[in-house]
Amino acid sequence: MTGSKELYLESRELTPGGVSSPVRAFRPYPLFISKGEGCMMTDTEGNEYLDMCMSYGPLIAGHANPVVLDAVREQIAKGTVYGAPSEPELALIKRIHANVPSAEMVRLACSGTEATMHAIRLARGYTGKKGIVKMNGGFHGAHDSVLVNAGSGSAGGVPSSAGVLEATASYTYTAEYNDIESMSALLDSNNDIACVIMEPVLGNVGVVTPKGNYLQEVRKLTAEHDVVLIFDEVITGFRLSAGGAQALYGVTPDLTTMGKIIGGGFPAGAFAGKKEIMENVAPQGPVYAAGTFAGNPVSAAAGLAQIELMLKDDNYRTLNVRTSKLAKAVEDLISDAGLEGCVNYAGSMMSVFFGITSATTGKEAMKADRAMFDRLFRSMLKKGIYLPPSAMEVDFLSLAHDDDAVKRFEEAFAGSVRDVKG
């Protein structure tokens, strides 16, 4: 067997940093995985790990779920891509339309990044306005308009990546999540805002949930200013509930973006929303959105099979209750160890923050002790638990995380918080 170290040394000579996405990298080298089954992963040396990363969210039914694999095999036997409409594509669109409150019309894409890019372009095309507002700590993929950090007041943002033009970043403004006053001030001072794009539950600075009626207040404020409200539900769509975060919290945006779960472990994305807005998308309207693999029948078949599985047997409630119990147990273990920290969770998403007692905004979450989390990550890895390597990522549970898996995690965590404390 070729070990992860040897594979990494070869890989870094051929691809930047030795990985295809930077979040996968950690020192001294990332694990190379040869197999995933249920809630477990196996590396190329045969070491097994309880997977709490779950590919950052797509695998709500677990790795290699038999129901999903059967749907994939059936579709692959018929072909992998057509460059024409297909029944699996339409079936997935119909399911999204039936379950997601805002989805009067749906257009499939190839990834979450594509979905948010198309949605922002659509909002601009529909309104004729240029500016966009995102949340501090919010993440919407790797395209230029959203790779932007907070700027100074009305000056717009500054690029967070080399290669993003300052002129592009100048049209992106940043508000603080759970702070309706910061949003109100932005919209009151600028009449050229096309859209607010936000994760209804932040998921890229760890889990940060809405306080009180915050989402309802955002909905009211954007409507008053004729600003398109986009919920980025790439993570939360079909995870927090059958209708996503918008159904859970009772707030309907103008547009919604999705990814991850709707692909069942294959690349997929979607943007959806009000018919009067969506009708502006080509070929029906002037806003261009296209892709060779958009609506890929294999992705659509896998995603639909996974969603249909989740809709059975009260699976959402079972999974969400299990996650809430785990989050509370972890918080107790942190307290018992005498460490400062907190645990946030929503649905089957959970995050541990060390060094802070609350994380209600992106600003607060980013103050978490990352060095302490890194020690936790390494200690848990030695105990056979694979966490997302970054303190700002999220633990995901799946249907495959049964009571035994949860107990294994709790036992490992109890030992690791002692290691973290030193």
Side-chain angles (χ1 to χ4, degrees):
M1 297 182 186
T2 305
S4 294
K5 181 178 180 179
E6 291 75 20
L7 291 168
Y8 170 68
L9 292 174
E10 180 181 5
S11 182
R12 73 177 187 179
E13 296 299 317
L14 300 170
T15 188
V19 291
S20 293
S21 181
V23 74
R24 302 172 191 173
F26 59 87
R27 293 174 297 173
Y29 50 84
L31 298 182
F32 277 65
I33 302 302
S34 63
K35 180 183 179 181
E37 185 174 6
C39 61
M40 302 297 295
M41 290 197 306
T42 305
D43 69 17
T44 56
E45 296 170 74
N47 301 305
E48 290 188 336
Y49 302 88
L50 173 63
D51 186 7
M52 298 299 292
C53 180
M54 299 305 290
S55 194
Y56 299 93
L59 303 174
I60 197 169
H63 289 282
N65 182 277
V67 172
V68 176
L69 292 185
D70 284 347
V72 170
R73 292 189 190 101
E74 182 180 348
Q75 176 54 45
I76 285 178
K78 301 174 183 177
T80 58
V81 65
Y82 304 135
S86 69
E87 288 184 296
E89 173 186 4
L90 178 58
L92 179 58
I93 287 171
K94 288 169 69 176
R95 173 51 69 195
I96 294 170
H97 169 73
N99 282 80
V100 178
S102 66
E104 294 178 10
M105 297 188 82
V106 183
R107 169 63 67 86
L108 299 183
C110 300
S111 68
T113 287
E114 274 197 8
T116 60
M117 178 184 70
H118 291 324
I120 290 171
R121 183 185 302 143
L122 175 56
R124 284 172 161 157
Y126 172 71
T127 63
K129 296 186 283 188
K130 300 175 183 177
I132 71 171
V133 177
K134 64 183 286 287
M135 300 298 110
N136 183 24
F139 180 77
H140 308 289
H143 54 95
D144 288 7
S145 291
V146 291
L147 286 175
V148 174
N149 287 328
S152 55
S154 61
V158 295
S160 60
S161 169
V164 175
L165 301 179
E166 291 182 2
T168 300
S170 70
Y171 289 108
T172 301
Y173 304 84
T174 304
E176 196 67 56
Y177 183 83
N178 271 330
D179 180 357
I180 196 64
E181 285 76 17
S182 72
M183 176 82 70
S184 180
L186 268 175
L187 298 187
D188 285 344
S189 64
N190 193 325
N191 61 6
D192 195 33
I193 299 297
C195 65
V196 169
I197 183 168
M198 63 183 297
E199 299 164 283
V201 173
L202 294 187
N204 286 277
V205 283
V207 177
V208 180
T209 59
K211 294 191 302 183
N213 292 323
Y214 172 67
L215 294 179
Q216 287 82 357
E217 292 170 344
V218 171
R219 172 67 284 185
K220 180 181 178 182
L221 193 62
T222 51
E224 290 173 349
H225 287 80
D226 293 322
V227 169
V228 174
L229 176 59
I230 305 171
F231 275 3
D232 181 349
E233 296 222 46
V234 168
I235 292 176
T236 57
F238 288 101
R239 175 164 288 275
L240 301 192
S241 77
Q246 60 194 264
L248 182 66
Y249 293 105
V251 179
T252 303
D254 299 304
L255 295 174
T256 299
T257 61
M258 285 166 282
K260 296 191 184 287
I261 285 172
I262 67 167
F266 288 80
F271 59 108
K274 290 182 177 179
K275 188 174 183 179
E276 67 181 90
I277 300 177
M278 293 295 295
E279 286 179 330
N280 287 271
V281 177
Q284 191 164 349
V287 178
Y288 195 72
T292 296
F293 291 94
N296 176 265
V298 178
S299 297
L304 183 62
Q306 180 167 244
I307 292 168
E308 296 294 348
L309 178 61
M310 286 302 301
L311 295 175
K312 295 178 179 178
D313 303 324
D314 211 17
N315 279 331
Y316 276 108
R317 183 180 181 279
T318 299
L319 182 54
N320 292 351
V321 168
R322 182 169 287 146
T323 304
S324 69
K325 290 180 178 178
L326 176 59
K328 291 169 184 174
V330 168
E331 195 160 47
D332 287 343
L333 289 169
I334 292 171
S335 177
D336 292 345
L339 292 172
E340 186 176 50
C342 62
V343 180
N344 285 0
Y345 66 94
S348 51
M349 304 162 58
M350 181 183 78
S351 293
V352 176
F353 299 93
F354 288 116
I356 57 177
T357 57
S358 69
T360 61
T361 67
K363 185 177 181 180
E364 282 186 348
M366 287 185 279
K367 291 179 180 178
D369 189 330
R370 302 186 191 206
M372 186 174 287
F373 178 87
D374 186 65
R375 294 196 294 274
L376 174 78
F377 168 76
R378 295 175 188 282
S379 175
M380 292 288 276
L381 197 62
K382 290 178 182 178
K383 294 175 172 61
I385 311 293
Y386 189 88
L387 302 176
S390 167
M392 296 290 99
E393 293 294 342
V394 173
D395 295 327
F396 292 99
L397 272 70
S398 73
L399 291 181
H401 287 79
D402 58 15
D403 290 338
D404 289 341
V406 169
K407 182 179 179 181
R408 178 176 175 177
F409 180 90
E410 289 180 12
E411 290 174 349
F413 194 90
S416 289
V417 288
R418 291 192 293 268
D419 295 342
V420 167
K421 189 176 180 181

